[in-house]
Amino acid sequence: MQVTRLSVTPIKGLALDHPQSIEITATGPVGDRAFYLVDASDRLTSISKTGSLVGVSAAWDDSGQLLTLSDAAGKVLISEQISLGAPHIADFFGFRQAQGRLVEGPWAQVFSDLAGQPLRLVKADEANGGRDVEPLTLLGSASLDELARQSGLDHVDGRRFRMLIEFDGAAPHEEDTWDGRLLTVGSAVIAGGGPVQRCAGTTRNPLTGEVDLRTLTLIGGYRGRQESIFGPGFNFGVYASTVTP
């Protein structure tokens, strides 16, 4: 099997970057999901709620504490050293509470203007603290091909699922059988985990943020509802955790 794409972003819900390599630590990929956005009710603002930020990319320099936002054309919207303010607790889908600190300065206004709703930027207290469940996720290209085949489509863009590691060389949905299995990826060793239950965010085009594919209906059409850590739902891809960084 071979890794075909890596996908990371320092701010959950923003445009994905696809580096040639990543460093996997005990908590996940260095710099990935270091920040997240919350609404006026202190709830996580995810891609399922708004696609307006999908085209905005972020670059994070941890050593200099410099955060940069750029639009889809590469124009820099803002680039400043961050300053952390009050502690904050965010509700992540009712599944867990994430602890962090509000980022002070112009960031809340910038994101609110981009999204058309009040938003605040939070830096997670722990590395990879903007993750959903586990910081590592896996999805096989054969699973994407099977979804396309079952749906009568020529192709389904794997980027809409926002998985950390995409790979080829396995059977369709073979990753579903890897719960507890040790896998070597580069020089890291990871353990396969449970299924990722998909949300409406996958219905959005990964470049424009527009809803353009009924992914949940299509997955359910041939896989049905399956159990996950969130209960019955539409599963596609799996979580994983670090064994050897």
Side-chain angles (χ1 to χ4, degrees):
M1 289 181 285
Q2 178 176 306
V3 172
T4 55
R5 180 160 49 207
L6 301 167
S7 299
V8 295
T9 175
I11 304 179
K12 182 176 175 62
L14 267 63
L16 295 173
D17 182 37
H18 305 290
Q20 290 299 304
S21 65
I22 56 175
E23 179 184 352
I24 295 178
T25 71
T27 62
V30 172
D32 189 43
R33 271 75 171 182
F35 300 82
Y36 50 88
L37 294 160
V38 296
D39 62 17
S41 299
D42 296 322
R43 294 174 298 187
L44 173 72
T45 295
S46 67
I47 192 174
S48 63
K49 297 180 180 179
T50 176
S52 58
L53 301 175
V54 168
V56 179
S57 62
W60 169 236
D61 175 10
D62 184 67
S63 62
Q65 296 291 286
L66 179 69
L67 184 62
T68 302
L69 299 183
S70 303
D71 64 16
K75 177 184 176 183
V76 174
L77 302 174
I78 181 173
S79 183
E80 291 188 7
Q81 286 184 314
I82 66 166
S83 176
L84 299 180
H88 184 273
I89 298 177
D91 174 34
F92 272 42
F93 314 113
F95 173 70
R96 70 180 182 97
Q97 290 188 322
Q99 298 186 6
R101 294 177 65 185
L102 292 168
V103 180
E104 296 183 327
W107 300 96
Q109 190 63 56
V110 169
F111 280 110
S112 298
D113 289 345
L114 288 168
Q117 59 178 291
L119 296 178
R120 290 167 292 166
L121 180 64
V122 182
K123 186 177 187 298
D125 284 345
E126 61 176 336
N128 309 107
R131 68 188 186 279
D132 290 343
V133 178
E134 295 285 354
L136 310 181
T137 51
L138 305 169
L139 179 62
S141 58
S143 302
L144 290 164
D145 292 343
E146 182 67 7
L147 173 59
R149 187 183 72 81
Q150 294 279 353
S151 306
L153 302 172
D154 292 331
H155 173 71
V156 174
D157 192 335
R159 291 175 296 180
R160 70 173 61 244
F161 295 100
R162 302 179 69 87
M163 305 295 270
L164 175 67
I165 300 171
E166 293 178 52
F167 62 91
D168 64 11
H173 303 297
E174 185 175 333
E175 59 268 28
D176 292 354
T177 69
W178 292 349
D179 194 358
R181 181 176 176 181
L182 297 184
L183 308 164
T184 299
V185 186
S187 59
V189 178
I190 66 176
V196 178
Q197 186 180 119
R198 309 317 313 209
C199 69
T202 62
T203 66
R204 296 188 182 277
N205 184 289
L207 298 179
T208 68
E210 297 295 324
V211 175
D212 65 355
L213 188 66
R214 297 178 299 116
T215 48
L216 303 184
T217 300
L218 298 177
I219 293 169
Y222 79 100
R223 305 201 79 198
R225 286 185 176 271
Q226 299 172 306
E227 288 294 328
S228 77
I229 195 170
F230 293 105
F234 304 110
N235 300 339
F236 204 75
V238 298
Y239 292 110
S241 58
T242 304
V243 176
T244 303

